[in-house]
Amino acid sequence: MATFAPEELDSDAPLALVVEAAQAGDRDAFGLLAQRYERLVYTIALRRLGNHAEAQEVVQEVFMQVLRKIGQLREPAALPGWLRSITARRVSNRITRRPPVATAGEGTLDGATSESETPLTHAIARERQSQVRAGLNRLGTLDRQTLVAFYVDGQSLSQMSTAFDSPVGTIKRRLHVARKRLARELEGVLA
């Protein structure tokens, strides 16, 4: 085991010398490494976590791990890369273990208000209904009957097939065509 004179290990000491001293068990040398690279580890952690307190915890965890495993570092010049790797792993583990963030899904807040329908929404709904009725009235008889049977009366395709004395495929095509025609009728009105 090599011995190092304390005067050799100052803030300007070469990295290889400081790492070797830390590997030999010199706590001051390890403290010097921590002092030199604390900002690097903190910056990486903060950038990924976005939380100052968590980033500080990661710094402590990283240097505790480095203290335990510094003897495994074969090339002193590789210390910065090794620290980045340990930090990235610690941050990833921390992110993975975070509890999921509760988000409000679609419709979650719909019932949260005391009044779900306002006079304005009623007026808009009535206006749209009258415009759709007017559009239906402008359609041909077969298109109107097909749409009313399906959407208003709630008939199934097979019921409509029997009522119109047409195959189900024909009813599907009629529905499709009638919807397109109604959409064209309402295009300028509802926009």
Side-chain angles (χ1 to χ4, degrees):
M1 184 184 322
T3 57
F4 303 93
E7 60 274 0
E8 292 181 54
L9 297 178
D10 61 6
S11 59
D12 298 327
L15 177 62
L17 184 65
V18 179
V19 169
E20 288 172 11
Q23 287 176 326
D26 187 331
R27 298 288 183 188
D28 291 332
F30 185 81
L32 187 57
L33 288 176
Q35 184 181 359
R36 282 186 186 180
Y37 292 99
E38 178 181 16
R39 182 170 292 244
L40 169 74
V41 172
Y42 173 78
T43 303
I44 294 167
L46 182 63
R47 189 177 314 133
R48 298 235 2 245
L49 294 169
N51 180 301
H52 171 71
E54 278 190 296
Q56 286 181 321
E57 288 177 20
V58 168
V59 169
Q60 290 177 3
E61 292 170 8
V62 167
F63 283 107
M64 290 299 294
Q65 184 174 354
V66 170
L67 179 62
R68 286 190 306 272
K69 302 197 180 222
I70 189 110
Q72 297 175 4
L73 182 63
R74 292 191 185 116
E75 183 58 45
L79 179 73
W82 190 48
L83 286 170
R84 284 185 191 95
S85 174
I86 293 170
T87 305
R89 246 187 332 273
R90 287 285 176 172
V91 168
S92 293
N93 289 344
R94 188 171 281 267
I95 289 171
T96 302
R97 290 186 188 120
R98 278 183 178 166
V101 176
T103 58
E106 273 188 49
T108 302
L109 299 177
D110 289 346
T113 60
S114 61
E115 191 176 320
S116 61
E117 293 187 21
T118 65
L120 178 62
T121 58
H122 273 297
I124 291 171
R126 280 193 307 273
E127 180 64 24
R128 283 187 179 153
Q129 287 173 352
S130 68
Q131 289 170 348
V132 169
R133 282 191 198 103
L136 276 171
N137 288 334
R138 289 192 297 269
L139 292 178
T141 305
L142 188 58
D143 287 340
R144 183 176 49 256
Q145 288 175 344
T146 303
L147 290 171
V148 168
F150 189 75
Y151 289 107
V152 177
D153 299 339
Q155 292 182 18
S156 69
L157 292 175
S158 61
Q159 289 171 329
M160 291 172 65
S161 172
T162 304
F164 288 108
D165 194 29
S166 299
V168 172
T170 302
I171 299 299
K172 286 181 180 180
R173 183 185 50 77
R174 283 184 190 166
L175 270 171
H176 177 75
V177 170
R179 279 192 295 257
K180 293 282 188 186
R181 288 180 181 155
L182 180 60
R184 274 195 301 266
E185 287 292 324
L186 300 176
E187 202 168 64
V189 177
L190 291 179

